[in-house]
Amino acid sequence: MLLIVGEQYAAWVFTVASGLSILLLVIAVRTWPRGERCRCKGKRRTWWQKCTMGWFFWRGRCWYILKGQEADSHGMVQCPECGTNSKASRLKKDGRRFKFGNIGLVFLTVAVVTGYLGPVRNGTWTRVVPTYPLVILTDTSFGMTRTDLRKEIVKRVRNGSVNGRSARALAKILAKDLRNDGIWGSASSAMSMLKKLWPDSIEALSHETMVGDGQSKALAAQMLRQRIEVPSEILLVACVSDLHDDGDVDGWEMMEGNARQAAEYLLRWWSISSQYVLEAIESSDEQQRFLAATIAGFAGSTEKREMVVNILFPHLLDNSFYGDAKIAAPAIYHLGPKAVPLLQQKLKDADDQARSILLHIIERLENPERAFNHCKNPLPKLTSRAKDPLEAPLSTLMYNFWFVKDSNGTQ
Ligand SMILES: [Zn+2]
């Protein structure tokens, strides 16, 4: 405890002393005596004045202005204030009497010594710096990951002492850390801090979903999805963009499952997300198109029904994608009875697998009371995770979803 108090004390001394030394040295340089020689030096110092080092802090002992005083034939001027005789050429230059520079040097020495003894070496100086300046420094090279400054910030965030303006400024810096910067662990540490700073981090995260790189956009959207109560337009747009195939984006391991989470989220918020999802049905990205159609299907969209069927139908075929039929089938089913004529048209292009699935879906839609295992047209086995895949929730079916072409060509 004593050690901690001592460290705290040294840290305070260091911070105050370095601050004052900088301030005083700046004042000293700016008010350096420049004018003419006109000030009285005063009487000789007494031994007492020498001992108290008054000479170190004050210029001259009298400082009376001798301007206008005539020098005698020996070039001497007598001060009317203290009576000292001084040579005119030896008078002091006009300027500040106070020796700011020397006082600044004293504080600088104190700062260097205490800094060397502790705070700088063990990083405790950061403890006494107020939060806002510390946050501003976080964005400089002093505040890189794993520096003393960063550790102090992390500590303050954990104990909840960063809020308001400081929290918002810090969130902006941390949101950039979500990008794929090649520093191991910086994104995950930023994530945990941004969670702590919630809700002050909402604005920074929303911004990052628009300006970030692939990784930070996805991570920011993920955090917002998990925490925000009602999604903003920005977040919905970010989620739709998350439906993209990002298998070739750097840092994909951080984003595992982001497309799945985004899809579930957009489905949950269909009432306000439909316009964005329906737009994405016409995307040029195959995965985004597929997921958008899936969401619209599960939501029972009345718009673009035919387009949804056209996109999902090929996934019922025994194709080279892995596990897409188990998602496409229920998506088509949830379009409801109005989709039946569209499905009947598709039967002529269907292979054995698609044909069985379509017939089962049509039978179920026309006979909603009929149980899954009492149908004339049984559903081929699509997944082991749900007994009746047509009624299973999207999250169950999308578990471990990978939109990859499987060389074995199953399902
Ligand atoms: Zn004088």
Side-chain angles (χ1 to χ4, degrees), residues 341-386:
L342 294 168
L343 304 185
Q344 274 160 343
Q345 280 173 31
K346 289 291 175 197
L347 280 171
K348 63 181 192 306
D349 303 323
D351 63 4
D352 286 347
Q353 174 179 295
R355 192 177 175 77
S356 311
I357 297 172
L358 283 175
L359 287 174
H360 178 83
I361 293 174
I362 294 168
E363 186 182 349
R364 293 277 296 276
L365 289 173
E366 288 177 338
N367 308 277
E369 74 296 338
R370 207 166 285 176
F372 149 77
N373 46 4
H374 288 104
C375 288
K376 275 182 270 172
N377 303 287
L379 185 67
K381 190 167 173 62
L382 299 176
T383 173
S384 55
R385 289 185 63 88

Side-chain angles (χ1 to χ4, degrees), residues 40-43 61-64 66 79-84:
C40 171
K41 295 189 291 187
K43 290 207 177 83
R61 282 130 290 160
C62 170
W63 214 241
Y64 190 80
L66 296 177
C79 171
E81 174 85 4
C82 65
T84 310

Side-chain angles (χ1 to χ4, degrees), residues 1-281:
M1 187 59 198
L2 194 65
L3 189 72
I4 295 167
V5 172
E7 269 181 9
Q8 282 279 45
Y9 182 69
W12 270 107
V13 171
F14 172 76
T15 311
V16 171
S18 21
L20 280 176
S21 69
I22 291 166
L23 180 75
L24 290 169
L25 289 170
V26 167
I27 294 176
V29 169
R30 302 198 66 138
T31 63
W32 205 260
R34 287 188 185 85
E36 55 178 311
R37 292 182 181 278
C38 65
R39 297 276 189 177
C40 171
K41 295 189 291 187
K43 290 207 177 83
R44 282 176 69 86
R45 290 180 199 97
T46 62
W47 63 268
W48 185 82
Q49 283 168 329
K50 282 180 191 168
C51 285
T52 54
M53 302 224 336
W55 53 272
F56 193 75
F57 301 117
W58 296 87
R59 282 178 223 283
R61 282 130 290 160
C62 170
W63 214 241
Y64 190 80
I65 303 173
L66 296 177
K67 222 182 264 182
Q69 300 285 330
E70 292 292 324
D72 64 13
S73 54
H74 299 97
M76 302 295 278
V77 185
Q78 193 179 35
C79 171
E81 174 85 4
C82 65
T84 310
N85 282 306
S86 329
K87 237 189 173 128
S89 60
R90 301 281 301 275
L91 292 176
K92 295 281 187 184
K93 274 188 185 172
D94 199 10
R96 283 202 185 265
R97 188 179 186 188
F98 216 37
K99 294 191 181 176
F100 284 106
N102 283 0
I103 301 167
L105 286 176
V106 170
F107 279 114
L108 186 65
T109 313
V110 171
V112 168
V113 171
T114 53
Y116 176 75
L117 289 179
V120 166
R121 218 174 21 169
N122 58 29
T124 48
W125 66 275
T126 56
R127 289 187 200 170
V128 295
V129 179
T131 302
Y132 192 66
L134 209 59
V135 165
I136 300 304
L137 285 174
T138 307
D139 209 13
T140 66
S141 56
F142 296 107
M144 306 275 273
T145 314
R146 279 188 283 282
T147 55
D148 291 330
L149 195 151
R150 188 53 79 99
K151 285 179 194 157
E152 176 65 22
I153 282 283
V154 172
K155 212 176 77 189
R156 287 190 200 186
V157 169
R158 289 213 179 115
N159 66 30
S161 60
V162 181
N163 31 47
R165 177 177 67 152
S166 303
R168 288 191 298 275
L170 181 60
K172 264 185 217 159
I173 297 164
L174 292 172
K176 284 187 217 147
D177 278 359
L178 297 177
R179 295 176 193 176
N180 185 31
D181 51 10
I183 303 172
W184 188 83
S186 84
S188 50
S189 125
M191 273 176 89
S192 72
M193 300 232 277
L194 286 161
K195 282 176 197 166
K196 269 278 181 191
L197 291 173
W198 193 269
D200 286 318
S201 51
I202 295 178
E203 200 187 314
L205 285 168
S206 302
H207 186 65
E208 192 64 22
T209 63
M210 296 185 284
V211 301
D213 66 4
Q215 174 175 308
S216 71
K217 277 181 179 174
L219 292 178
Q222 190 189 65
M223 293 184 65
L224 289 168
R225 277 198 299 270
Q226 286 166 1
R227 281 175 183 70
I228 216 160
E229 268 177 43
V230 177
S232 62
E233 199 177 317
I234 292 171
L235 177 56
L236 293 173
V237 171
C239 290
V240 169
S241 136
D242 261 351
L243 301 179
H244 268 286
D245 181 7
D246 49 34
D248 52 353
V249 174
D250 280 345
W252 60 270
E253 56 279 79
M254 292 285 308
M255 306 193 287
E256 205 177 302
N258 73 303
R260 175 172 56 84
Q261 289 163 12
E264 288 165 15
Y265 192 78
L266 289 165
L267 176 58
R268 180 146 59 91
W269 288 100
W270 177 254
S271 57
I272 49 177
S273 72
S274 56
Q275 117 187 50
Y276 306 101
V277 175
L278 290 170
E279 241 168 66
I281 285 181

